Amino acid sequence: MQRQPLVIANWKMNGNRLLTSQLAAALREQAALLNDVDVVICPPAVLLPSWQQEVFYDAVHLGAQDANEHAAGAHTGEHSLQLVSEAGADYVLVGHSERRQLYGDSAVRIQAKVAAILTHAPQQLKVVLCVGEQEQERANGDTVKVIEGQLAEALANVSAAQLAHVVIAYEPVWAIGTGKTANPQQAQDVHAFIRNWLQQQYDAAAKTVPLLYGGSVKADSAPALFAETDIDGGLIGGASLEPEAFLAICRAAQARRS
Ligand code: PGA
């Protein structure tokens, strides 16, 4: 089964309107080379309207880096699904390790966010669920146990039909922003585990779920990672702030189709 390659830019708390125009222009220029890859940009939420204007006619999707699980109310500083959706987001990242570690995204909240996103109407949003082990957990041989626990908690109430709106990003915490990429075999092993786990829980529905690798992916490391059977694309932090590098990574994902 051929899944469409997918590359998601996670700008984190970086970027501005100038970089929005620059990256949008670079994507437009290369559009013909990116016919078979889905590109999603997750800027800081306040930049979503600028991005929405820039890519209105283009085949670029937008995403939010996070959203609150409640519909509205007294949640100072938070954004609802309705708001990010109105601002153009089709995707929402959930459970990024920085949110798990620094901003109180517990397993319970992550499960609530996944549920809220998948039942959000009328717009259908997609969840990008991030999972990953810490360096010490890998050293202890617990990688698979940690990933399984994160998947089981986050997807506890997700049906096979809803799984069609889920993307999973494997991001080893020790590789995020550190320059230490997992090697293609390490990444493939975990991706194969995730694919098998999904298959056990969801049977045929598991085949369509894009599995992304994230953690210091650069233009030079992307081709070998994306050549692996179960790596359908990437979640890109630092390199998504450099239009040339990001475009090279998108082309490497596109190469999965040729
Ligand atoms: P990085 O970030 O590419 O800068 O390591 C990836 C991520 O955190 O999504």
Side-chain angles (χ1 to χ4, degrees):
M1 132 116 234
Q2 272 226 329
R3 286 171 296 273
Q4 175 90 341
L6 172 63
V7 178
I8 303 182
N10 175 13
W11 273 12
K12 311 191 181 188
M13 202 171 69
N14 298 301
N16 51 28
R17 287 171 69 162
L18 176 62
L19 188 60
T20 297
S21 310
Q22 290 170 337
L23 183 54
L27 284 165
R28 199 165 299 130
E29 216 168 86
Q30 301 263 325
L33 298 175
L34 302 176
N35 275 339
D36 293 326
V37 54
D38 287 331
V39 177
V40 179
I41 311 291
C42 302
V46 293
L47 286 178
L48 279 169
S50 306
W51 265 104
Q52 199 178 20
Q53 280 180 1
E54 286 284 355
V55 298
F56 190 75
Y57 295 107
D58 302 335
V60 172
H61 296 275
L62 302 180
Q65 296 175 14
D66 185 40
N68 194 279
E69 64 273 33
H70 300 287
H75 299 284
T76 301
E78 294 287 281
H79 300 96
S80 68
L81 293 171
Q82 184 62 38
L83 284 173
V84 297
S85 171
E86 274 183 23
D90 295 326
Y91 291 74
V92 183
L93 307 188
V94 180
H96 189 281
S97 67
E98 286 150 20
R99 299 221 56 94
R100 290 181 194 256
Q101 289 178 351
L102 305 173
Y103 297 103
D105 266 8
S106 62
V108 171
R109 277 202 85 189
I110 289 168
Q111 196 183 91
K113 287 182 184 192
V114 169
I117 293 164
L118 293 177
T119 54
H120 182 72
Q123 300 90 344
Q124 187 79 66
L125 296 165
K126 287 188 192 265
V127 168
V128 182
L129 174 65
C130 305
V131 297
E133 82 287 0
Q134 313 265 357
E135 191 153 37
Q136 194 55 49
E137 292 167 334
R138 175 166 281 268
N140 295 345
D142 288 339
T143 300
V144 156
K145 196 173 88 189
V146 169
I147 303 300
E148 181 170 23
Q150 291 172 344
L151 291 172
E153 284 160 355
L155 302 178
N157 304 314
V158 173
S159 68
Q162 287 174 323
L163 197 69
H165 302 284
V166 174
V167 173
I168 295 178
Y170 167 55
E171 298 205 301
V173 179
W174 48 270
I176 296 179
T178 57
K180 283 196 243 172
T181 321
N183 69 46
Q185 192 58 53
Q186 284 174 319
Q188 164 61 24
D189 287 349
V190 177
H191 281 232
F193 169 78
I194 295 173
R195 180 78 60 206
N196 284 335
W197 186 88
L198 289 171
Q199 220 133 20
Q200 278 164 21
Q201 315 294 317
Y202 293 101
D203 210 357
K207 289 199 175 66
T208 57
V209 179
L211 302 186
L212 310 183
Y213 170 78
S216 297
V217 178
K218 306 290 176 212
D220 57 356
S221 56
L225 285 161
F226 298 167
E228 295 291 343
T229 322
D230 291 296
I231 303 182
D232 301 308
L235 179 53
I236 316 299
S240 71
L241 299 166
E242 300 160 29
E244 224 170 274
F246 185 66
L247 265 296
I249 291 169
C250 293
R251 285 194 301 272
Q254 159 98 12
R256 271 182 80 74
R257 296 306 291 268
S258 44

